Amino acid sequence: MEAIIIVGGFSTIHRLLKEEGHNLVLVTETSQVKEKNNELYKQVFAFDSLEDYSYVVSSLYPLKMRYSFEGIVCMVDELQELTKKIADYLGIKYLTEEQIKLINNKFAMRKKLAVKKIDNIASKKVSSEPEIRDFLKENSPSILKPINGSASRSIFKVTTETSKTELEEYLRNNKNESLVIEEFVEGKEFSVEAISFENRHYIYGITEKFKEGKHFVETGHIAPANISPKMKKQIRDFVIKVLNCLGVEDTVSHTEVIVTKSGDVHIVETHARLGGDMITELYKLASNGKIDPIKMASHICTGDYSDEKSLKNLEYPNFSGIKFLEFSEGKIKAITTDEIKEKGYTEISVRAKVGDKNLKPSSLNRIGHVIYTNQDYSQVLNFLESDISKIIRVEYE
């Protein structure tokens, strides 16, 4: 019996694979098991923790007797190393260990790109306040963050003026993390959505990103970005060089870049997965359904290259934007939403619930979002600059 093995979450792609007739086997943590899992998966291997790779892999021995595998899927950065070990054990093609390291380890990535003269942003591994101070002597301001971080977690802008108390508090809060400090780059940020068939890279979208200035958490996106053909080419050419340098192939990818006022392009980070924050849905809406990134990702994981032709000469008739509602101080007492009949509003979603309170800043900790689509970029930009707290109303204790 043929099957696809899935490691971790991203249930949307799981459901799509099921709809396309694939048998699915899920490897996950016990805390993530849902009542309806039996309807979606042929078999579920649930563990209290996925940290003991050897135990997890050896527990999958029965799969060798029962299935032949079409592919393996993982859309969670932290689980890709485990996914590689499972793939090797079951004889499934997947990213190499070197590719995973270069993609997920921000310091290793920067070293590789510097050696190949693709990007030259100064960076250094640090673990103490004196090491941070030493780097800041030549590179102030800078960004301090976990080497394997994602979802805008624990990003801290530091300068020579940052106090000893602030640095020590950050180090204490991230004592279990390996940290990297990087030269701060001023400019406009974009994410670049791509799919690679072998080593042929197709960039199907450049997404305009909007962030708040303290923790650099995204407040919204517009897809596709409304930029000049020259800038589009600069970003595309740069990202293709990055993907080639890192050896990315047969996967989707999500790469974040900054374009300076002088037009230089620099990498923030890259991931061998789809972009989060509903970016996949934005491109589906912008293309009137002609581009479905999740469906393309489901195909590439089984070695199906049928989407390659559709990615040539792409055009988007619409712009689609998403605006996130962040937490304020206090515990949520009530949440209400307004139904909007105005054309263009395609989704109003609430993630938080009564009793939730302000959490550590991260793209995973939000109250909800609103999505708006229009052929006119200026209308979508106006929406991004609007106050959606009038649509999703929150009362705090």
Side-chain angles (χ1 to χ4, degrees), residues 193-197 200-205 232 236 240 287 290-292 296 305-316:
E193 325 308 331
I195 183 168
S196 302
F197 303 93
R200 301 183 302 279
H201 311 297
Y202 291 86
I203 292 172
Y204 63 83
K232 188 180 293 185
R236 284 176 180 269
I240 287 173
S287 68
K290 291 182 179 178
I291 292 296
D292 187 341
M296 291 192 298
Y305 292 0
S306 61
D307 295 305
E308 188 169 3
K309 288 183 180 179
S310 68
L311 291 169
K312 297 175 181 177
N313 303 315
L314 272 180
E315 291 186 6
Y316 290 99

Side-chain angles (χ1 to χ4, degrees), residues 202-214:
Y202 291 86
I203 292 172
Y204 63 83
I206 298 174
T207 312
E208 185 176 4
K209 300 172 78 71
F210 298 81
K211 292 191 170 189
E212 52 83 35
K214 184 176 181 181

Side-chain angles (χ1 to χ4, degrees), residues 120-169:
N120 59 352
I121 297 301
S123 65
K124 180 183 178 181
K125 286 197 290 188
V126 292
S127 58
S128 67
E129 191 248 352
E131 287 178 331
I132 296 170
R133 294 284 182 203
D134 184 61
F135 185 84
L136 288 172
K137 288 176 183 178
E138 301 294 330
N139 303 282
S140 180
S142 286
I143 293 292
L144 192 57
K145 59 186 178 182
I147 278 179
N148 293 309
S150 60
S152 303
R153 177 175 56 83
S154 296
I155 296 178
F156 185 31
K157 185 179 180 182
V158 292
T159 71
T160 52
E161 303 300 315
T162 302
S163 71
K164 180 181 178 69
T165 301
E166 288 177 293
L167 288 178
E168 288 180 342
E169 181 182 6

